[in-house]
Amino acid sequence: MKLLRHGPAGAERPALLDADGKIRDLSGIVADIAGDTLSDEGLARLRAIDPASLPEVTPARIGACVARPGKFICVGLNYADHAKETGKAPPEEPILFMKATSAVVGPNDDIEIPRGSTKADWEVELGVVIGTRAKYVSEDKALEHVAGYCVVNDVSERAFQSERGGQWTKGKSHDTFGPIGPWLVTRDEVADPQNLALWLDVDGVRRQTGSTATMIFGVAHLVSYISQFMTLEPGDIIATGTPPGVGMGIRPEPVFLKPGQVITLGIDGLGSQHQATIEARD
């Protein structure tokens, strides 16, 4: 099942994508794609509905596929070849940092280049959406707490991230730096989250090509690991790291984003995103 949210920013309505690619409105069934809707029981109730019985809609905008995530947790350097291109050794334990939830936007919304930015960068990532509360869960039970998966662009400003002192969060959290979606694809439709191809283009030039098969720490390990340090709640998002090909790793000279560019990215079976870069708004 593919779940989504449609409508103006701040007033999105829940929906699902049917087998024919039609968007069916769910606002008469559930309040939003959040909370108990993401539990196994909530998803089972939606799965039992005949999509043809729901109103078809043609939205002008697709919003973030999860409403009001409580936490946006990111994993750094989780692909050995990406760690290498950044000049860092692969980590012995997952590197965790937070992205502000105010960065979350729809998959095709504009991306702002922050004022003073010199090193804005892209990162296609597999997103994991938590469906049921997870605290101290074992790795063999971890995926039972996952509602599904989505595409994430972990947009970053490298100078803010690494040259301004402190933690990485300030380089990860500008408004619009967290496009998610278009769909939340429920875990029953993803046979193996460690066998998904990822890609990203900038202005039609392929920059990233990778596979979740090369992640250092897999999804089950990450969910279990993170749950040892904080309770994961329904709607929380984990961005699991990016394959090589980010702008800071391009040689002989790094390449960074500026206003007026177009980014397209996707993951097999999870859909694709399309963003234009613009100057930061007030």
Side-chain angles (χ1 to χ4, degrees):
M1 188 165 52
K2 295 179 175 66
L3 302 175
L4 66 143
R5 301 170 66 246
H6 67 97
E12 294 92 345
R13 297 156 64 96
L16 61 78
L17 187 74
D18 71 15
D20 297 321
K22 297 176 181 178
I23 296 175
R24 302 284 183 168
D25 189 78
L26 281 170
S27 57
I29 308 296
V30 294
D32 216 333
I33 308 301
D36 289 343
T37 300
L38 297 170
S39 68
D40 286 350
E41 295 78 10
L43 295 175
R45 286 193 294 271
L46 295 183
R47 205 172 282 117
I49 297 169
D50 177 7
S53 68
L54 301 170
E56 182 182 352
V57 292
T58 306
R61 173 182 177 272
I62 302 296
C65 59
V66 179
R68 302 174 300 279
K71 294 189 283 297
F72 199 153
I73 307 158
C74 300
V75 183
L77 305 178
N78 197 29
Y79 290 71
D81 36 11
H82 171 57
K84 182 179 180 180
E85 74 176 345
T86 66
K88 297 180 174 66
E92 295 183 4
E93 291 191 39
I95 296 172
L96 305 181
F97 60 93
M98 308 296 280
K99 182 185 284 281
T101 56
S102 55
V104 172
V105 290
N108 305 317
D109 290 344
D110 294 338
I111 290 176
E112 294 184 6
I113 304 302
R115 294 175 184 174
S117 170
T118 58
K119 298 181 179 179
D121 207 345
W122 56 83
E123 294 189 26
V124 59
E125 305 200 8
L126 172 66
V128 179
V129 180
I130 298 300
T132 56
R133 183 177 183 270
K135 182 176 183 179
Y136 295 124
V137 299
S138 61
E139 189 165 338
D140 64 316
K141 299 290 186 181
L143 295 187
E144 296 176 11
H145 295 268
V146 172
Y149 304 92
C150 65
V151 181
V152 173
N153 188 356
D154 177 21
V155 187
S156 309
E157 212 301 334
R158 303 299 187 186
F160 296 178
Q161 175 185 350
S162 302
E163 300 171 20
R164 299 285 297 273
Q167 299 178 341
W168 290 1
T169 303
K170 67 179 72 171
K172 298 284 188 171
S173 294
H174 185 79
D175 294 350
T176 75
F177 270 23
I180 62 171
W183 336 118
L184 185 165
V185 181
T186 52
R187 74 171 189 267
D188 59 299
E189 291 197 6
V190 180
D192 183 2
Q194 303 309 144
N195 187 29
L196 300 173
L198 310 86
W199 60 271
L200 181 145
D201 296 347
V202 180
D203 292 336
V205 177
R206 181 58 48 92
R207 292 300 190 184
Q208 288 187 278
T209 302
S211 170
T212 57
T214 64
M215 286 168 57
I216 298 170
F217 306 106
V219 172
H221 182 85
L222 291 173
V223 172
S224 173
Y225 181 87
I226 295 169
S227 79
Q228 312 304 308
F229 301 98
M230 65 191 81
T231 300
L232 296 170
E233 301 285 358
D236 286 350
I237 300 166
I238 302 170
T240 57
T242 197
V246 298
M248 69 179 296
I250 295 174
R251 298 293 181 267
E253 292 293 332
V255 175
F256 296 111
L257 295 167
K258 57 186 183 296
Q261 296 187 281
V262 173
I263 308 168
T264 52
L265 61 148
I267 300 177
D268 282 0
L270 304 186
S272 60
Q273 302 184 353
H274 181 282
Q275 298 126 15
T277 56
I278 63 170
E279 294 183 356
R281 306 182 181 99
D282 291 336

